[in-house]
Amino acid sequence: MSRSAEYLERALALMPWGTQTNAKRIDPALADVMPAFIERAEGCRIQDMEGRWYIDYRSALGPIILGYRHPEVDAAVRRQMEKGVLFSMASPLELELAERMTAIVPGLEQVRFMKTGHEANAATIRLARAYTGRDAIATCGYHGHSDWFACGAGAAPAWCPRDGNGVPALLDRLVTRLAYGDVGALEALFAAQGDRLAALMLVPYDWGEHVALDFLRRARALCDRYGTVLVFDQVLTGFRLAIDGAQGYFGVVPDLTSYAKALGNGYPISAYGGRRAIMEKLNDAILTTTYAGETLSLAASCATLDIMRREPVHARLWEMGTRLMQGFDAFAMDRGFPARAYGLPPAPQFRLGDDPDREPARQTQFFRALLERGIFPSRPFLLNAAHDAAVIDQTLEAIGEALDQVFLNLP
């Protein structure tokens, strides 16, 4: 038994899933090629317990935006560690990070910090209800494990099953789920209950094939008409899609926005903020947590934003993502394979044919072949600034071999 397999066996005996995060659970179909544990990381590479290195396209599920162990970010953390991690009053870093964020993000008049994306999203819902005096909300996308994001009218998504999840059934009448980009359903929802909706929370882009600008514009207009708080869940899109996030990319400014992941380049921090009039309701809706002012993550976030403002981080993400997508499409076209890249370049995805019944088996085989060649895949591929042209070209070589393996060996 390998060291990794031994650890996984012990972990499963002591921890449900053997890990803390659903997306890090081992896929049984890939268990013999996918490492269950990672011991170290550097730049855009990760190393498993057996010493094998992989070019990583998970980026720790999104937080790694500059690359693992970025020297400037880690140096800022070490300097702060000499001063202390948590104090009996606020740290000056709280103000320093707030000043950076409000200077970067359109519509962010005030901001507060938390530790996880789930907490930030839950806080925006409380604030919207406090501000509007209404109870009902609508959600669009995955927003964390809060009760409000695990219930509601509409079909339960695969990543959040409704049955047996411990959420009281009486909450379903207060929540409506919407599919991303469905303008018709959005308009029908507001026509039926717009004057009851405290908030519409949505992911501004779900990293899929459809980039729903009309959906976002219509959401803004309807929220304005009915007095509903528009919330952008930018836990993943924030500071990854662009430095000014979906506000800058789409030109649509929400009332409240949540952030996490790329904000700290891997250090645990989240934030939520927006219009001053809404944020001032924190005087009534007391949302507080001891560790929100933890200084190491604040220092990391200040350094991360400084680097993003100084260096062409997002231009690099778009350039390297485009290189990856175009290389994938060129190989598939040259070989006559019905495969193509889609999505926006900072987080591309790859479709392996037009038959949905064959897609799952092909995706599994594709990921297997990539893992065997030292590429750690993801859906979507989450690039970071350490992915350079040489790394992308090495990845494309493995992708070409993987596509041959998929289409020449599977029906």
Side-chain angles (χ1 to χ4, degrees), residues 171-328:
L171 298 184
D172 286 328
R173 64 185 179 84
L174 295 177
V175 182
T176 301
R177 293 188 178 99
L178 288 174
Y180 178 78
D182 191 338
V183 176
L186 177 70
E187 292 179 337
L189 169 68
F190 273 89
Q193 52 177 310
D195 57 357
R196 297 197 305 113
L197 288 176
L200 167 60
M201 170 176 276
L202 54 84
V203 290
Y205 175 52
D206 67 354
W207 303 108
E209 205 154 357
H210 184 34
V211 184
L213 177 56
D214 290 343
F215 181 67
L216 299 186
R217 287 175 174 167
R218 192 67 184 134
R220 178 69 279 174
L222 288 167
C223 285
D224 287 342
R225 180 190 300 176
Y226 288 93
T228 299
V229 175
L230 178 61
V231 184
F232 277 3
D233 172 357
Q234 294 209 72
V235 167
L236 186 54
T237 56
F239 305 110
R240 175 169 289 279
L241 185 62
I243 191 170
D244 49 4
Q247 291 96 316
Y249 183 75
F250 290 106
V252 177
V253 178
D255 300 304
L256 294 174
T257 309
S258 60
Y259 304 89
K261 294 193 186 280
L263 174 59
N265 197 51
Y267 288 87
I269 189 168
S270 64
Y272 64 96
R275 289 171 48 199
R276 184 181 305 272
I278 302 176
M279 292 295 288
E280 286 177 348
K281 290 302 292 183
L282 284 167
N283 292 318
D284 302 317
I286 304 298
L287 303 174
T288 179
T289 179
T290 299
Y291 295 105
E294 175 265 309
T295 63
L296 303 187
S297 297
L298 292 168
S301 297
C302 286
T304 298
L305 294 185
D306 287 346
I307 294 165
M308 287 182 182
R309 297 176 78 177
R310 185 183 72 233
E311 300 179 8
V313 171
H314 296 90
R316 166 71 68 87
L317 296 181
W318 281 80
E319 180 186 359
M320 293 300 104
T322 299
R323 187 185 188 99
L324 182 63
M325 296 174 75
Q326 290 178 346
F328 181 98

